[in-house]
């Protein structure tokens, strides 16, 4: 494994990368930053050609070549992009197993860590899978890439493959990662923009005061934190730092009800993210004695321009979506209230969310390692599907694997299935939560959302009572 | 005219329509396919490029390219 490392440019991490880096420091393991996926087709593949395409992808997609320097005394690192990765792309044969066993084995690989400085943070393995599926498994550090970036990468590899194999058009160039990185860093250093962004976040605290923690399991969690810290007025609860094991529970919403949700969004000019946030916040309100002040961490992809979409990198970043909604607000108005705040957040999403946390610690003197949020949401409008006309009629097996170490109590990823439904993937810390908690959350989220879209004039309080 | 072209060049980074094919009646969301995030990111880029300050409430009322251009003209003049 050698690299061309002449005339390296060293860059600081972006806010999105810093978010993952901070988790690595806080939790003392790189495992929390792992992201893994397998993409495969039920068709024979020319593995020699696939290997060539993956090697070519390392050249086309600069983020795959990012490395990090040794941490300084504060634990901070710089990043650089090596000119060339000449690394092995091994092949593993799991075709003799059941698909479940193969998935279980790949799940184990997803727990592995990239330990060391100045080393590659991306592994690709070609896979022979059961039932005639063939493809590749990718294991990366989230500081290099987010899930949208991975989907773009998988599609690009397969476009290269179909170009060389079937003579389809050569895929368009991907945006230069380094150029987009430089633009992002320049924007983050724009003093005027920084001041505007800071003002927006500070104004929110000025207007609403200190947030109030709300837990999936109800008010007892905050009460416990209050007892532990000897502070009856404490508004934040402890973060789990030691027992990070995460379990995943997926629920699939069928295509027809999914269409109903989507139609509601379209007819009322709402985005699905905001509808989902409303579903979660209403559940939290219900199980926390009607608490009106609810904060949920929402992940934003920050991919809007063509260059941002195709440059790879880790652009996804989370911001607290805080709303104070009274029980007599009707469902539709509540959705618009969330949309209004989310739109403003989008406009200020260049800001480093660590600075929001820092400001709150300064203002409210919250104890170390406490939080105001128990729920995190990612909505992925982009399906994990090989988007290639040459592969349209071939069965696909794609699966995301949890890294096995949750920094968050409950992290919900909502994505669209190839069949037109929606997948609700709940990642939860097993030390505090059980599958039954996820069942309840999903069940009530659906009851809330479908009651709300059926009767958008109904108040949030009435909906909470009726379900 | 130069400002309008610069504006449309920025818009084109967010959609599949070329600057020369854009009309004032085109709506950001319905015709150009902007998501809420795209639109708000675009507004931030307008602020940085033209060194103007958009009032969020005004900006959220903008639906078409023509309306955005009008708002931009007004802010640049101010």
């Amino acid at each position: 494994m050698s690299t061309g490392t002449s005339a390296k440019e060293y860059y600081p991490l972006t806010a999105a990368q810093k978010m993952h880096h901070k988790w690595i420091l806080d939790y003392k393991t790189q495992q929390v930053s792992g992201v893994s996926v397998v993409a495969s087709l039920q068709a024979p593949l020319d593995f020699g050609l696939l290997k060539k395409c993956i090697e070519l992808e390392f050249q086309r997609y600069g983020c795959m070549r990012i490395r990090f320097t040794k941490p300084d005394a504060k634990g901070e690192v710089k990043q650089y992009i090596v000119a060339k990765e000449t690394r092995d792309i091994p092949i593993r044969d799991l075709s003799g197993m059941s698909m479940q066993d193969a998935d279980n084995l790949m799940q184990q690989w997803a727990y592995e860590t990239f330990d060391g400085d100045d080393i590659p943070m991306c592994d690709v393995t070609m896979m022979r899978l059961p039932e005639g599926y063939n493809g590749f498994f990718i294991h990366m550090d989230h500081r290099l890439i987010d899930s949208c970036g991975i989907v773009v990468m998988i599609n690009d590899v397969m476009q290269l493959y179909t170009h060389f194999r079937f003579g389809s058009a050569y895929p368009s160039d991907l945006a230069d990662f380094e150029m987009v990185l430089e633009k992002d860093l320049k924007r983050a250093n724009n003093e005027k923009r920084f001041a505007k962004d800071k003002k927006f976040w500070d104004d929110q605290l000025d207007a609403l005061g200190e947030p109030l923690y709300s837990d999936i399991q109800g008010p007892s969690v905050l009460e416990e934190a209050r007892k532990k810290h000897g502070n009856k007025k404490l508004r934040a609860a402890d973060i789990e730092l030691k027992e990070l094991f995460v379990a995943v529970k997926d629920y699939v919403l069928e295509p027809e009800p999914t269409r109903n949700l989507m139609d509601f969004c379209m007819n009322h000019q709402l985005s699905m993210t905001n509808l989902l946030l409303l579903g979660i916040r209403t559940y939290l309100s219900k199980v926390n004695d009607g608490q009106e002040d609810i904060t949920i961490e929402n992940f934003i992809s920050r991919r809007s321009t063509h260059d941002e979409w195709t440059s790879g990198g880790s652009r996804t970043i989370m911001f607290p979506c805080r709303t104070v909604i009274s029980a007599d607000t009707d469902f539709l108005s509540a959705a618009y209230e969330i949309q209004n705040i989310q739109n403003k957040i989008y406009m200020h999403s260049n800001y480093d969310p660590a600075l929001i946390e820092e400001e709150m610690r300064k203002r409210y003197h919250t104890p170390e390692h406490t939080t105001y949020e128990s729920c995190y949401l990612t909505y992925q409008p982009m399906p994990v599907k090989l988007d290639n006309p040459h592969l349209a009629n071939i069965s696909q097996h794609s699966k995301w694997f949890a890294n096995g170490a949750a920094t968050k109590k409950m992290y919900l990823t909502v994505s669209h299935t190839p069949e037109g439904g929606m997948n609700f993937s709940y990642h939860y810390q097993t030390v505090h939560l059980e599958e039954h908690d996820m069942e309840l959350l999903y069940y009530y989220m659906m009851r809330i959302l479908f009651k709300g879209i059926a009767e958008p004039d109904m108040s949030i309080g009435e909906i909470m009572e009726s379900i | 005219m130069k400002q309008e072209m610069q504006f449309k060049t920025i818009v084109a980074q967010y959609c599949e329509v070329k600057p020369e094919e854009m009309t004032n009646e085109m709506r950001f969301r319905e015709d150009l396919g902007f998501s809420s995030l795209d639109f708000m990111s675009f507004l931030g880029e307008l602020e940085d490029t033209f060194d103007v300050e958009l009032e969020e409430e005004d900006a959220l009322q903008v639906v078409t390219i023509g309306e955005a251009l009008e708002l931009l003209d007004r802010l640049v003049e101010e």
Side-chain angles (χ1 to χ4, degrees):
Chain A
M1 214 174 285
S2 66
T3 61
T5 53
S6 60
K8 281 182 303 205
E9 189 83 40
Y10 291 90
Y11 299 101
L13 303 190
T14 62
Q17 290 175 304
K18 277 188 204 164
M19 177 180 77
H20 294 287
H21 188 69
K22 185 177 179 296
W23 286 331
I24 294 172
L25 294 178
D26 286 350
Y27 296 90
K28 298 180 177 58
T29 172
Q30 188 274 335
Q31 193 179 346
V32 296
S33 193
V35 54
S36 305
V37 64
V38 66
S40 66
L41 297 165
Q42 198 171 31
L45 284 182
D46 175 345
F47 282 103
L49 178 59
L50 181 62
K51 185 175 182 175
K52 177 182 161 183
C53 296
I54 293 167
E55 285 168 348
L56 198 50
E57 191 65 12
F58 269 95
Q59 279 313 113
R60 286 168 60 83
Y61 217 40
C63 65
M64 294 169 83
R65 289 179 274 118
I66 296 174
R67 294 184 186 192
F68 301 105
T69 59
K70 187 177 179 183
D72 63 17
K74 287 182 189 164
E76 286 172 11
V77 295
K78 298 263 189 206
Q79 61 184 315
Y80 59 94
I81 300 119
V82 295
K84 193 167 169 58
E85 287 279 15
T86 51
R87 42 194 329 218
D88 189 31
I89 314 287
I91 182 165
R92 291 289 300 267
D93 189 348
L94 311 185
S95 58
M97 296 180 172
S98 68
M99 191 58 96
Q100 183 63 52
D101 286 346
D103 281 347
N104 290 345
L105 181 62
M106 288 185 281
Q107 179 62 74
Q108 293 302 312
W109 299 348
Y111 298 155
E112 288 176 12
T113 53
F114 293 99
D115 296 316
D117 318 311
D118 301 294
I119 58 166
M121 307 299 280
C122 166
D123 275 332
V124 186
T125 308
M126 294 184 291
M127 304 297 305
R128 284 187 205 279
L129 293 168
E131 299 165 27
Y133 284 91
N134 294 291
F136 51 101
F137 174 85
I138 305 160
H139 179 50
M140 287 178 85
D141 184 303
H142 248 319
R143 290 170 295 177
L144 272 60
I145 203 162
D146 53 32
S147 51
C148 287
I150 287 184
V151 173
V152 169
M153 181 217 292
I154 292 170
N155 279 320
D156 198 51
V157 169
M158 292 319 293
Q159 279 185 33
L160 287 169
Y161 184 87
T162 52
H163 165 74
F164 291 118
R165 184 77 179 80
F166 305 114
S168 63
Y170 194 80
S172 309
D173 279 347
L174 301 168
D176 180 58
F177 170 74
E178 206 160 354
M179 186 194 77
V180 176
L181 173 67
E182 283 173 359
K183 193 177 170 193
D184 276 344
L185 292 170
K186 189 177 162 198
R187 204 159 190 212
N189 288 325
N190 178 333
E191 283 179 23
K192 213 169 168 181
R193 164 130 322 269
F194 178 84
K196 277 191 85 168
D197 292 341
K198 179 168 170 47
K199 184 175 182 311
F200 166 76
W201 288 104
D202 287 354
D203 283 353
Q204 200 182 60
L205 293 178
D206 291 344
L208 301 176
E210 185 180 8
L212 180 61
Y213 181 79
S214 52
D215 197 276
I216 306 162
Q217 295 166 297
S220 61
V221 177
L222 180 59
E223 281 311 316
E224 266 176 47
R226 285 175 170 166
K227 272 184 210 156
K228 181 184 162 190
H229 294 277
N231 178 356
K232 285 181 186 167
K233 290 181 179 169
L234 186 67
R235 295 169 73 89
D238 292 285
I239 295 169
E240 177 60 48
L241 286 169
K242 287 176 188 160
E243 303 287 334
L244 302 183
F245 191 76
V246 62
V248 181
K249 181 68 193 168
D250 284 5
Y251 298 94
V252 175
L253 185 66
E254 300 299 316
E256 197 183 327
T258 297
R259 254 193 317 277
N260 293 341
L261 291 181
M262 291 173 77
D263 287 348
F264 181 81
C265 287
M266 202 160 74
N267 295 338
H268 294 89
Q269 300 269 304
L270 276 168
S271 79
M272 182 61 77
T273 305
N274 297 326
L275 193 63
L276 295 170
L277 283 167
L278 178 56
I280 299 172
R281 84 162 315 283
T282 306
Y283 177 74
L284 287 172
S285 184
K286 179 181 169 65
V287 295
N288 285 276
D289 304 332
Q291 185 174 318
E292 294 180 353
D293 185 350
I294 304 276
T295 309
I296 298 164
E297 289 282 356
N298 180 44
F299 283 83
I300 298 172
S301 76
R302 292 185 63 247
R303 289 184 193 277
S304 291
T305 65
H306 299 304
D307 282 355
E308 287 167 359
W309 269 107
T310 63
S311 64
S314 188
R315 304 190 61 81
T316 302
I317 195 161
M318 62 173 196
F319 287 99
C321 173
R322 181 181 182 188
T323 43
V324 181
I325 296 177
S326 63
D328 58 4
T329 309
D330 65 79
F331 184 83
L332 190 56
S333 301
Y336 286 135
E337 246 181 81
I338 292 172
Q339 180 139 296
N340 186 34
I341 186 73
Q342 277 299 115
N343 281 339
K344 289 177 181 172
I345 289 172
Y346 292 153
M347 202 165 175
H348 298 283
S349 61
N350 275 302
Y351 199 59
D352 184 348
L355 298 174
I356 305 168
E357 200 184 315
E358 198 179 296
E359 180 66 25
M360 291 195 287
R361 298 230 177 273
K362 197 170 82 186
R363 286 186 188 211
Y364 310 122
H365 310 290
T366 41
E368 274 286 291
H369 306 305
T370 56
T371 180
Y372 297 107
E373 302 92 19
S374 66
C375 294
Y376 296 72
L377 171 70
T378 293
Y379 170 60
Q380 294 179 332
M382 206 174 174
V384 186
K385 192 179 176 190
L386 299 176
D387 183 19
N388 186 317
H390 284 273
L391 312 175
N393 298 318
I394 303 174
S395 293
Q396 300 175 15
H397 174 71
S398 299
K399 188 175 168 73
W400 295 91
F401 297 97
N403 59 34
T407 56
K408 309 156 198 78
K409 187 161 186 173
M410 193 291 295
Y411 179 17
L412 168 60
T413 302
V414 181
S415 55
H416 289 267
T417 67
E419 296 76 29
M422 278 204 292
N423 188 59
F424 289 72
S425 185
Y426 295 85
H427 292 222
Y428 58 98
Q429 284 179 336
T430 51
V431 67
H432 296 295
L433 296 166
E434 293 173 2
E435 191 176 312
H436 181 62
D437 295 306
M438 299 304 104
E439 267 172 35
L440 283 177
L441 177 53
Y442 177 70
Y443 172 77
Y444 280 109
M445 262 183 81
M446 294 306 113
R447 297 275 322 255
I448 290 162
L449 290 176
F450 287 100
K451 189 81 188 166
I453 68 167
E455 296 180 64
D457 296 333
M458 201 177 206
S459 76
I460 293 293
E462 286 167 336
I463 289 174
M464 286 194 290
E465 268 177 37
S466 71
I467 57 170
Chain B
M1 205 58 187
K2 193 183 159 198
Q3 180 174 293
E4 184 175 330
M5 206 52 205
Q6 203 178 353
F7 168 90
K8 288 182 176 173
T9 305
I10 296 174
V11 176
Q13 292 173 15
Y14 291 78
C15 63
E16 301 299 332
V17 182
K18 292 179 182 146
E20 58 274 20
E21 291 166 2
M22 288 175 194
T23 63
N24 282 356
E25 292 71 38
M26 282 182 172
R27 293 163 300 176
F28 285 98
R29 286 180 172 81
E30 294 85 345
D31 301 323
L32 301 176
F34 276 52
S35 67
S36 307
L37 172 62
D38 298 340
F39 187 64
M40 301 314 284
S41 305
F42 162 72
L43 294 178
E45 195 156 349
L46 280 190
E47 284 189 322
D48 293 349
T49 307
F50 295 100
D51 197 21
V52 293
E53 281 215 23
L54 291 163
E55 286 297 328
E56 277 152 13
E57 302 303 333
D58 291 347
L60 287 171
Q61 304 305 316
V62 168
V63 175
T64 64
I65 287 194
E67 289 168 8
L69 272 168
E70 243 173 63
L71 178 65
L72 181 63
D73 281 345
R74 208 168 60 232
L75 291 168
V76 170
E77 271 174 34
E78 280 170 14

